[in-house]
Amino acid sequence: MPEFSIAGVAESPLGHVTGESELSMIALAAREALGEANIGLREVDGLFVNYLGEEGSVQLGEYLGIEPSHADSSDLGGGSWVGFVGHAMAAIAAGQCEVALLAYASRQRTLRKRSRKHVLAPWPPESLTAQFDQPAGLPVPIGHFALVTARHMYEYGTTEEQLASVAVSGREWAQLNPKAWRRDPLTIEDVLASDRICGPLKKLDCCPITDGGGVIIVTTAERARAAKRPPVAIRGWGESHTHWHPHQRRDLTSTAAVESGRRAYEMAGMGPSDIDVFQPYDAFTITPILQLEDLGFCAKGAGGEMFHQGHLRPGGKLPAMTSGGGLSYTHPGAFGIFLLIEAVRQLRGEAGARQVGPRPKTALVNGIGGLCSYSATVVLTND
């Protein structure tokens, strides 16, 4: 099997984007990412997208003028692009494509502002969700994450202060990132005093709604040697999913990262102690705690205290959420692609004021999707 690399990464415009469409946002990011990779647009023969509407890869291919030999529009939630890394590797190894473009863009904030009211479409009455979940009054998605949070607090004694420390940790990194949406100073007391949205989660336990997007170029290590920026090697990858409905979840405090992480570590020949930078998916303050535990960085139930002690903040022993994360940097409905972009920049030494030093050699990215239903894990190195 050939070796694989990420040869280029780029964000689209972020925050509140009014002068672009989702497709043009991707085009801007694609031009920058392909420029880093030193690859022409016409050389792209694999497209991997999610959340671009019906037949998303077909729409994007038309817009960019690409007729791919391999396309993937699998809906795996916000972690899709971490999963797409492995899908692209498999497609390249099978000879179905050579240059894979992974793309995402959303204007959730702008479109929501234009609408007078935001109404979720009801689930079809024959669906299990409509039969078993909606009658219980569980709002999606926040109700599920609140339920998980409450259970974790009950089983392990996790406190609201520990949860708040996750948001504070991300904000400290965001203050070092000029592109971050939220950069104001934040304290544990600020988080605790914010409005309770769905107990025990409060407003500042939850990610903002922004616009944004990005592109990642995955190709063979041989092809990536011609890139203009240092390529980042993909050493390990794994994915798994456990459930769709909350009532089918076997353990509320455990995620599919247990399995996806095991597979990624095994492929990479590494373990948690080998990781220099950690990029977890933080849509809510509970999710980085779950991933920290499930990926073996600490014992089950110890994740909250690890955040509270400052180990994941700037200068901590395991730098994490270094862009500011979904809680402070950006969260346009899905965050997985941004985890990979930040990991690549850290490994290249291009993260500016938030650069982890000395320059890290390894990074672990973990994306989740659905109601903690799906997990994909990637181990990256700069050697």
Side-chain angles (χ1 to χ4, degrees):
M1 177 179 288
E3 294 184 346
F4 305 93
S5 295
I6 296 177
V9 299
E11 300 141 310
S12 76
L14 304 173
H16 183 198
V17 181
T18 58
E20 304 287 347
S21 69
E22 287 82 353
L23 292 173
S24 70
M25 289 164 68
I26 289 175
L28 291 170
R31 182 169 60 189
E32 183 178 344
L34 288 167
E36 287 190 350
N38 198 25
I39 292 173
L41 183 63
R42 297 296 179 264
E43 297 177 87
V44 175
D45 51 4
L47 285 179
F48 297 77
V49 305
N50 190 13
Y51 295 131
L52 288 181
E54 190 172 357
E55 298 186 39
S57 66
V58 180
Q59 292 189 52
L60 181 61
E62 178 189 72
Y63 191 87
L64 297 179
I66 295 170
E67 297 180 7
S69 55
H70 185 89
D72 189 341
S73 296
S74 302
D75 185 357
L76 297 166
S80 294
W81 297 268
V82 187
F84 286 159
V85 169
H87 298 188
M89 290 163 60
I92 294 168
Q96 296 173 0
C97 63
E98 186 176 1
V99 177
L101 187 149
L102 286 54
Y104 175 67
S106 167
R107 292 184 301 142
Q108 267 202 14
R109 185 175 187 85
T110 297
L111 296 178
R112 187 176 185 184
K113 278 181 170 289
R114 289 178 181 174
S115 176
R116 292 188 176 181
K117 60 181 179 178
H118 181 66
V119 179
L120 289 173
W123 294 95
E126 69 276 9
S127 70
L128 292 176
T129 299
Q131 293 179 58
F132 294 101
D133 294 345
Q134 282 186 325
L138 191 70
V140 176
I142 189 172
H144 179 76
F145 287 94
L147 183 66
V148 170
T149 304
R151 187 66 191 182
H152 201 275
M153 295 171 79
Y154 173 79
E155 286 195 21
Y156 301 109
T158 302
T159 66
E160 292 188 354
E161 288 79 8
Q162 290 173 343
L163 291 164
S165 68
V166 177
V168 171
S169 181
R171 186 63 58 87
E172 289 185 1
W173 286 108
Q175 289 180 300
L176 304 174
N177 185 354
K179 293 183 179 181
W181 179 254
R182 292 172 169 169
R183 301 187 68 205
D184 296 338
L186 184 69
T187 66
I188 288 177
E189 291 71 26
D190 293 332
V191 180
L192 297 179
S194 63
D195 292 342
R196 192 172 294 272
I197 304 299
C198 186
L201 295 176
K202 293 167 286 297
K203 182 177 181 179
L204 292 176
D205 285 306
C206 309
C207 64
I209 296 174
T210 69
D211 301 336
V215 164
I216 294 170
I217 306 301
V218 175
T219 188
T220 62
E222 181 179 359
R223 185 71 179 269
R225 292 192 186 100
K228 295 179 180 178
R229 302 301 310 152
V232 168
I234 304 165
R235 296 301 184 198
W237 175 85
E239 71 177 345
S240 187
H241 53 73
T242 54
H243 67 282
W244 176 245
H245 300 92
H247 61 267
Q248 292 296 314
R249 190 168 179 175
R250 293 189 297 273
D251 180 357
L252 284 173
T253 66
S254 181
T255 73
V258 172
E259 183 60 23
S260 66
R262 182 191 66 77
R263 293 174 179 173
Y265 286 137
E266 183 176 318
M267 181 183 290
M270 298 182 189
S273 63
D274 298 308
I275 303 303
D276 297 328
V277 179
F278 179 37
Q279 303 294 346
Y281 196 117
D282 60 322
F284 301 94
T285 51
I286 187 62
T287 54
I289 292 174
L290 297 176
Q291 292 163 85
L292 192 68
E293 297 168 353
D294 290 349
L295 291 163
F297 292 107
C298 64
K300 199 65 188 172
E305 184 59 22
M306 194 168 173
F307 268 101
H308 199 238
Q309 291 177 2
H311 294 313
L312 296 97
R313 294 179 179 180
K317 67 180 184 180
L318 181 63
M321 300 153 45
T322 56
S323 66
L327 291 166
S328 288
Y329 159 56
T330 193
H331 200 292
F335 191 58
I337 200 165
F338 301 100
L339 298 169
L340 292 160
I341 291 171
E342 177 65 12
V344 167
R345 287 181 175 159
Q346 286 287 345
L347 292 177
R348 287 177 176 173
E350 298 173 350
R354 67 186 187 280
Q355 179 64 50
V356 172
R359 183 177 168 188
K361 296 184 179 298
T362 60
L364 185 142
V365 172
N366 195 76
I368 60 174
L371 304 177
C372 276
S373 313
Y374 170 80
S375 179
T377 309
V378 172
V379 177
L380 303 172
T381 71
N382 56 15
D383 57 9

